[in-house]
Amino acid sequence: MLARLIQFSLTQRLLILVISFGVLLLGVSRLMQLPIDAFPDISPTQVKIIIKAPGLTPEEVENRVTWPVEVELLGIPEQQTLRSIAKYGLTDITLDFNDGTDIYWARQQVAERLAAVWESLPEDVSGGIAPMSTPLGELFMFTLDGPYSLEQKRHILDWNIRPVLRGVTGVADVNVLGGRVETFQVSPKPSAMQLLGVDYQDLEQALIENNSSDGAGRLDAGEETYLVNTGGRIHNLQQLRNLVVLEREGNAIRLTEIATVTLGSLTRYGSVTDSGKGEAVQALVVALRGANASEVIAGVQQALETLKPSLPADLNLRTFYDRSQLVDRAVSTVSTALMLAVLLVLVLLGLFLGDVRAALAVAISLPMAAMVTFILMDQFNMSANLMSLGGLAIAIGMLVDASVVVVENCVARLATAPKALPRLHIIFRAVREVAGPVVAGTLIILLVFAPLMTLGGLEGKLFIPVALTIIFALAGSLVLSLTLIPVVCTWLLSSESAKTPAWVEVLQRGYRAGLLKVIDSPKVILLPTALSLVLAIFAYTQVGKSFMPEMDEGDLILQIEKIPTISLSASQAVDNRVTAALVEQIPEIQRAIARSGADELGMDPMSLNETDIFLQLAPRDEWLLENKDVLKDRIRTMMLDFPGINYAFTQPIDMRVSEMIIGSRGDVAVQVFGPELNVLQQLASRVGEILTPLEGSEDVVVQQSDGLHYLRLKPDQQEIGRRGLSLHQVQRQLRAALDGLQVGEIQREGDQAGIRSPLVIRYEKPEDWRSLLASQSLPDAKGNPVSLSELVAVEQSQGPVLIQRQAGQRFGRVDIYVGERALVDYVTDAQQQIDEQLVLPQGYYLQWGGEFENQQRASARLALMVPVAIALVFLVLFSTFGKVSEALLVLGNIPLALIGGILALWASGTYLSVPASVGFIALLGVAVMNGVVLVDQFKQLQAQGAKGLDVIVEGAVRRLRPVLMTATTGAFGLLPLLFATGPGSEIQKPLAVVVTGGLVSSTLLTLFLLPLLYRKFIYKEIES
């Protein structure tokens, strides 16, 4: 079959060229259409529910909202994880589904369950299913700067900018943070109301019933029709003040007589400050799941440019986070490495082949295989990102292997064949000779990458694109080596140009002498090999293990946590001081945007004591400090001026990935499960004490789940009933006194349709709880005022700041940020320390979470599947050679290749991560392929009648050039990744270290040890 394919290609050369040109054009067009992102979509099928319950404490939110919703959601098919967090006035419930679950089906199931339970929730709750985004959907952030109040900035953002940005293709929503939402505020005067005989219910009823417009219908007048409507809406403060609340003895009691009517703002649950300059207003663009990040950001930027003329001239939109910058840098890192790898491979081809035309014949396979890859990536809906392009960069050296063997054999046959034979016939025979080993070798490489396709979870989402691009590229290069490359050889190669370079001949002579010496004295190679193997085993025990190297995103987030009882204004003051110090004391920090508390959509429900500070850093060429680690140390020194504040460092994507995996922002999370919140807090604090001094504990943050001040008002039900009142009246009066009650909306005169401001009843805030109760009263059944102090008892206590739940159980959490130590090694040590020092009460247990779980899961899966792949490789080898002994000999190259890879990891201080494991897989394929090429040559010489030592020595010398070419192109093709410094280079570097080091040991031992073993165990048997 292979011979027929080659024959068809050589007899239909014009057709092959036309097809190849079509593939080239199609590949270019698909490349231009590929979506571009920093990472593949690694998020699970996730549905988030956000419910706001104004005024409810965390315990009330848990009991009345979170728990009923969780119970209803249990049992949805394909559900993997259910976790929630209950805070003041808010609950955030997250459901993760099994991979492959359709997101629309999952949202529909959740929506149906949520609708079933909604009627049983408190009447004033709001919210529902969050926008269909992912944890990595935060793409673009900016602030509004200019000489405007917080209310004005917020109004512009809410009503001018946000609607436009939400219309951009791929935008799920625009989260608004900071500022003040302007309201029409009615502040009752209790003394005036009492004097005029107006109670709270009268006031609320008047505001609700006298602020509406309605349509009455149509009125026919002759042949014409009039549409009738009653316009009773309030449009300004004066109309609101003149509103008649009650009529007493012919006198109208207007609102202005019993209340102060002003412009106010809604109760705030969070704020934003900018570089110590005070409060700011921020917008955060959230992308739809599956959207093209680059296109979304480009659309947002274009929309903002279009919108700019309609905004005030002195209002500036200042961007401080733009994901497209990371995308561009990450893709540039891989693309640059890819181009440099191509150049290095071309140079090596020219040096080894000694002829520009021969090198060009091989080099054609590079762009053509890349085009095939882009076509298949488009068919499989893959994006061009750090991982998929990284897979192509990894494959560059291997893409030319098949073509190298084909072209090198063509060159050799043209040099030795009789001149009377037609060149087309010589090339056909040359290609046919090596077609079998080329197909077997490429198939082997494809098989060794197959285990990556079985990875699941986060590791699968990251590395399956790597495996797919490698498989696409190698499959394309194989087809090209048997079709297009032979055709090109017929035009580019000739017997006159088929000469071996002088330096290669010198190399061959030296290799011949060295090989003879090894055959005469085997201990020359056996002893170093044994020592290297022992050293590699020792090195493996010393190499640390982790999931993925941390990628430098170019941005930095400082997370700070204050005392749980802190107020919003006090939290803002701390944020202002910290951000001012950051910008003033550290020149590398250009801006520091601090976000505390919950956001508008509730997608990141932090408490008032929690703050994320986004640090906008100066370009690296302007830094005085050496690197980001030194910058962190400088910030740590600065934070000594702020005692009592917990802090930790993270990055935007890294933070969201950690939250996605375990609901925590740390590298490792220790969850303590149990029923009692105070016990959970004590146990979590003890875990933090044990782990803080442990080597590798860069920052240990015990999440403060309790310590919030509570003022518990216990109603006297007997007294309330005796006075003719209801508990609902008491609760509503208290809500109006503190948080405020929204009783309608007001559309200002001149505002466009849809723009409305809330109408809120809110009493003037009292100084303390005593004045609160003394100033509030309700009329009893006889109309006499009853002070709230007579109806409720007061109890001061402390309670939870938040309540976290997973699978229906409460838990406390400790977040650990690990530095300067392998993550898996750290977790192993930490678990041992906890087991020795922590005694858990009955009913309580620990659960560890973090990226190390992905590493362990990936290692377990590869440990199962790699042997299966090796067994399949053995079958391919056996079908190729027909002998078990020869197949086993080639497989013996595998441990020889591992030696160099392990020693390279150890010497460079690189951890054994999943990228390094991918490097070992790539190494196995190249090592086995080189063995196939060598053994196949031995068999060919025997078939041609060669005898004795000539079979081994001549066969090895003849295959020296292709073996060295495949090894050097593989190693040099990865050198750009080895020395790259941009974002994403950290992920590819372990792979490059393994392959480069492994190819050195594998090539040396393949060229010297394999011929020795073949002669001793296989050839002697054949001779006998």
Side-chain angles (χ1 to χ4, degrees):
M1 185 177 69
L2 293 178
R4 289 182 180 179
L5 176 63
I6 299 166
Q7 183 181 18
F8 174 81
S9 301
L10 291 174
T11 55
Q12 302 292 332
R13 289 182 288 174
L14 183 59
L15 177 61
I16 294 297
L17 284 180
V18 170
I19 294 174
S20 300
F21 186 69
V23 169
L24 181 65
L25 293 180
L26 183 60
V28 171
S29 68
R30 291 295 181 265
L31 174 61
M32 303 302 294
Q33 297 174 10
L34 282 179
I36 300 174
D37 205 341
F39 282 101
D41 184 9
I42 60 176
S43 58
T45 302
Q46 187 177 87
V47 180
K48 186 181 284 286
I49 300 171
I50 300 161
I51 301 177
K52 297 179 180 180
L56 295 187
T57 65
E59 288 177 311
E60 286 291 309
V61 170
E62 180 194 34
N63 290 332
R64 301 180 61 188
V65 182
T66 308
W67 188 82
V69 173
E70 281 185 351
V71 170
E72 188 67 29
L73 294 176
L74 291 173
I76 294 180
E78 302 297 325
Q79 186 180 143
Q80 190 177 65
T81 306
L82 173 62
R83 61 176 180 266
S84 65
I85 182 170
K87 293 189 173 185
Y88 170 68
L90 176 75
T91 186
D92 185 312
I93 303 171
T94 303
L95 292 93
D96 287 337
F97 290 84
N98 294 328
D99 288 338
T101 304
D102 181 71
I103 181 62
Y104 293 98
W105 178 88
R107 290 173 67 87
Q108 179 185 0
Q109 295 297 312
V110 173
E112 291 174 359
R113 298 292 184 99
L114 189 59
V117 76
W118 195 264
E119 293 298 323
S120 64
L121 302 181
E123 61 181 3
D124 52 353
V125 300
S126 61
I129 298 178
M132 196 175 71
S133 181
T134 70
L136 304 184
E138 298 178 353
L139 299 182
F140 193 79
M141 306 180 195
F142 62 90
T143 57
L144 279 66
D145 291 356
Y148 297 94
S149 67
L150 292 173
E151 288 85 357
Q152 290 171 318
K153 291 179 182 177
R154 180 62 184 262
H155 183 85
I156 292 172
L157 183 54
D158 279 338
W159 300 108
N160 296 85
I161 298 176
R162 188 183 185 192
V164 173
L165 295 187
R166 292 188 68 180
V168 174
T169 302
V171 172
D173 211 329
V174 178
N175 209 349
V176 180
L177 305 99
R180 296 176 183 273
V181 177
E182 191 172 73
T183 64
F184 283 74
Q185 182 168 304
V186 177
S187 301
K189 302 174 184 176
S191 56
M193 291 176 66
Q194 183 176 338
L195 181 65
L196 295 174
V198 180
D199 60 32
Y200 174 80
Q201 285 72 27
D202 296 330
L203 172 62
E204 183 178 347
Q205 184 177 357
L207 290 173
I208 293 173
E209 295 179 354
N210 292 282
N211 179 34
S212 64
S213 296
D214 195 12
R218 292 184 302 183
L219 176 65
D220 293 336
E223 296 182 354
E224 296 183 335
T225 295
Y226 292 90
L227 299 181
V228 182
N229 79 302
T230 55
R233 279 198 171 276
I234 298 170
H235 296 292
N236 54 54
L237 283 174
Q238 192 57 44
Q239 287 181 332
L240 184 59
R241 288 171 179 147
N242 291 334
L243 179 71
V244 175
V245 178
L246 279 180
E247 186 271 338
R248 285 278 192 269
E249 299 176 358
N251 296 319
I253 302 175
R254 302 184 184 279
L255 184 60
T256 189
E257 298 178 55
I258 60 170
T260 302
V261 181
T262 59
L263 294 177
S265 62
L266 289 178
T267 299
R268 300 197 295 165
Y269 296 91
S271 67
V272 177
T273 56
D274 185 355
S275 306
K277 300 174 184 177
E279 286 194 62
V281 178
Q282 172 193 337
L284 190 160
V285 178
V286 182
L288 275 171
R289 178 187 179 93
N292 185 330
S294 298
E295 290 183 1
V296 171
I297 294 174
V300 168
Q301 292 172 332
Q302 183 179 354
L304 291 177
E305 284 297 321
T306 305
L307 192 62
K308 191 171 291 185
S310 65
L311 300 177
D314 49 357
L315 182 72
N316 297 317
L317 306 181
R318 294 184 63 193
T319 303
F320 66 91
Y321 181 70
D322 182 348
R323 177 76 62 79
S324 64
Q325 295 178 358
L326 173 62
V327 172
D328 293 341
R329 292 198 306 270
V331 173
S332 175
T333 298
V334 181
S335 301
T336 302
L338 198 57
M339 296 305 297
L340 289 175
V342 171
L343 291 176
L344 287 172
V345 169
L346 292 178
V347 170
L348 286 170
L349 292 175
L351 288 174
F352 275 103
L353 295 172
D355 182 65
V356 174
R357 289 181 296 176
L360 183 61
V362 176
I364 287 173
S365 63
L366 286 175
M368 290 301 299
M371 293 305 108
V372 171
T373 303
F374 295 139
I375 293 170
L376 293 173
M377 286 175 64
D378 180 69
Q379 289 297 311
F380 281 76
N381 296 319
M382 295 171 61
S383 65
N385 54 64
L386 188 62
M387 306 306 291
S388 59
L389 293 180
L392 193 56
I394 295 163
I396 282 296
M398 294 183 284
L399 289 184
V400 296
D401 287 352
S403 298
V404 161
V405 175
V406 169
V407 173
E408 196 274 340
N409 204 48
C410 289
V411 169
R413 289 305 177 194
L414 286 170
T416 59
K419 293 186 178 181
L421 285 175
R423 186 171 62 223
L424 203 64
H425 181 69
I426 296 171
I427 290 176
F428 169 71
R429 292 179 61 181
V431 177
R432 187 181 62 183
E433 284 179 1
V434 297
V438 163
V439 171
T442 306
L443 181 58
I444 285 167
I445 296 177
L446 295 177
L447 283 175
V448 297
F449 277 104
L452 291 179
M453 301 295 296
T454 67
L455 293 176
L458 177 63
E459 60 276 16
K461 293 182 175 70
L462 283 171
F463 290 99
I464 286 178
V466 175
L468 282 175
T469 49
I470 292 174
I471 291 171
F472 295 158
L474 287 176
S477 70
L478 175 61
V479 175
L480 290 167
S481 69
L482 300 178
T483 54
L484 178 62
I485 301 304
V487 170
V488 172
C489 287
T490 63
W491 286 309
L492 293 182
L493 301 184
S494 65
S495 57
E496 288 77 14
S497 63
K499 296 179 180 178
T500 303
W503 76 274
V504 174
E505 291 180 345
V506 172
L507 196 63
Q508 287 174 337
R509 288 194 296 269
Y511 172 58
R512 183 190 300 273
L515 182 58
L516 288 170
K517 184 176 180 179
V518 167
I519 292 174
D520 290 338
S521 181
K523 64 181 181 181
V524 173
I525 189 67
L526 294 178
L527 185 59
T529 302
L531 291 175
S532 299
L533 185 59
V534 172
L535 183 60
I537 294 173
F538 168 76
Y540 178 78
T541 64
Q542 303 302 308
V543 173
K545 299 174 183 62
S546 66
F547 174 57
M548 287 267 287
E550 181 181 351
M551 186 181 81
D552 183 3
E553 301 175 27
D555 299 286
L556 190 63
I557 296 178
L558 175 65
Q559 300 172 305
I560 63 176
E561 185 179 36
K562 308 136 210 170
I563 59 173
T565 56
I566 196 168
S567 65
L568 179 60
S569 58
S571 183
Q572 289 174 351
V574 174
D575 293 343
N576 264 318
R577 293 199 302 272
V578 172
T579 53
L582 287 167
V583 174
E584 292 170 4
Q585 298 181 26
I586 306 176
E588 287 74 12
I589 299 176
Q590 292 181 330
R591 289 181 75 192
I593 311 297
R595 186 183 77 195
S596 61
D599 56 298
E600 183 75 11
L601 297 179
M603 297 182 70
D604 192 12
M606 298 190 297
S607 301
L608 295 180
N609 65 319
E610 296 174 314
T611 300
D612 286 343
I613 303 178
F614 283 75
L615 304 180
Q616 187 174 1
L617 305 178
R620 286 298 176 93
D621 55 4
E622 299 178 12
W623 281 32
L624 300 176
L625 301 177
E626 295 177 13
N627 51 47
K628 190 179 279 190
D629 290 332
V630 179
L631 174 63
K632 290 180 182 179
D633 291 337
R634 181 70 185 84
I635 296 174
R636 288 188 181 96
T637 302
M638 187 215 75
M639 290 301 295
L640 295 176
D641 298 332
F642 299 92
I645 294 179
N646 295 325
Y647 64 89
F649 297 98
T650 186
Q651 301 178 101
I653 293 179
D654 187 42
M655 175 177 69
R656 297 307 180 197
V657 169
S658 297
E659 287 181 339
M660 179 181 69
I661 297 172
I662 51 173
S664 163
R665 296 182 173 186
D667 298 318
V668 179
V670 183
Q671 296 170 309
V672 187
F673 286 86
E676 298 297 330
L677 293 174
N678 59 337
V679 178
L680 291 176
Q681 184 64 51
Q682 293 170 7
L683 292 173
S685 299
R686 178 59 184 147
V687 170
E689 293 173 1
I690 296 171
L691 297 183
T692 297
L694 190 64
E695 179 188 358
S697 295
E698 190 171 77
D699 299 298
V700 177
V701 179
V702 179
Q703 192 167 60
Q704 294 296 319
S705 58
D706 64 0
L708 193 64
H709 292 326
Y710 277 68
L711 195 67
R712 302 185 188 275
L713 304 181
K714 297 186 175 181
D716 186 340
Q717 299 276 19
Q718 298 285 340
E719 185 65 19
I720 291 173
R722 194 177 66 83
R723 296 297 186 109
L725 299 171
S726 68
L727 180 60
H728 180 74
Q729 289 177 284
V730 174
Q731 291 171 335
R732 200 160 180 83
Q733 179 94 0
L734 284 168
R735 176 79 61 80
L738 295 175
D739 234 12
L741 282 173
Q742 183 173 338
V743 292
E745 294 177 327
I746 293 178
Q747 182 176 355
R748 294 170 180 269
E749 290 177 324
D751 279 351
Q752 66 185 36
I755 299 180
R756 294 179 174 83
S757 298
L759 173 59
V760 175
I761 301 176
R762 178 185 288 141
Y763 287 83
E764 294 291 337
K765 280 205 172 182
E767 297 180 359
D768 54 34
W769 64 268
R770 292 180 179 83
S771 56
L772 165 69
L773 297 180
S775 63
Q776 299 297 314
S777 61
L778 290 168
D780 62 11
K782 298 178 180 179
N784 299 319
V786 181
S787 172
L788 286 183
S789 59
E790 300 179 40
L791 303 176
V792 298
V794 179
E795 178 184 304
Q796 296 185 64
S797 63
Q798 288 200 341
V801 180
L802 56 86
I803 301 172
Q804 297 180 97
R805 298 166 60 88
Q806 183 168 307
Q809 289 187 300
R810 291 174 168 180
F811 69 89
R813 196 180 73 220
V814 181
D815 296 337
I816 304 110
Y817 298 81
V818 181
E820 303 300 327
R821 191 175 181 189
L823 188 59
V824 176
D825 297 343
Y826 174 86
V827 172
T828 302
D829 194 4
Q831 289 175 335
Q832 182 180 349
Q833 294 296 320
I834 293 296
D835 290 342
E836 293 175 355
Q837 301 184 44
L838 182 67
V839 178
L840 293 173
Q842 186 175 1
Y844 293 80
Y845 64 94
L846 295 183
Q847 186 170 305
W848 296 73
E851 289 188 352
F852 73 94
E853 292 179 297
N854 302 306
Q855 195 276 340
Q856 291 175 337
R857 189 166 56 241
S859 297
R861 179 60 62 90
L862 292 177
L864 175 66
M865 298 308 300
V866 168
V868 174
I870 292 176
L872 294 175
V873 169
F874 172 78
L875 293 178
V876 174
L877 293 173
F878 178 73
S879 64
T880 302
F881 298 132
K883 289 188 177 181
V884 173
S885 57
E886 291 175 343
L888 291 176
L889 180 65
V890 174
L891 283 181
N893 261 9
I894 292 178
L896 306 184
L898 297 180
I899 290 174
I902 293 172
L903 292 178
L905 284 179
W906 179 48
S908 62
T910 306
Y911 296 145
L912 178 58
S913 56
V914 177
S917 301
V918 176
F920 279 114
I921 288 173
L923 191 58
L924 301 186
V926 177
V928 173
M929 184 173 183
N930 282 339
V932 169
V933 170
L934 210 56
V935 172
D936 181 74
Q937 183 63 39
F938 296 156
K939 293 177 72 67
Q940 284 188 28
L941 288 175
Q942 292 173 54
Q944 294 169 10
K947 300 292 184 181
L949 202 57
D950 287 345
V951 171
I952 306 301
V953 177
E954 288 304 318
V957 171
R958 285 189 185 185
R959 284 292 172 252
L960 174 65
R961 182 163 61 170
V963 168
L964 287 179
M965 288 174 70
T966 55
T968 53
T969 53
F972 278 78
L974 289 173
L975 280 182
L977 289 177
L978 192 60
F979 295 103
T981 57
S985 60
E986 306 90 348
I987 296 175
Q988 309 295 349
K989 193 166 292 184
L991 185 149
V993 168
V994 169
V995 175
T996 305
L999 283 177
V1000 172
S1001 68
S1002 173
T1003 304
L1004 288 174
L1005 295 174
T1006 297
L1007 290 173
F1008 289 99
L1009 187 59
L1010 190 143
L1012 176 66
L1013 296 176
Y1014 188 87
R1015 178 175 182 267
K1016 185 172 182 60
F1017 295 106
I1018 298 176
Y1019 188 62
K1020 280 188 176 181
E1021 178 186 345
I1022 295 172
E1023 287 184 319
S1024 64

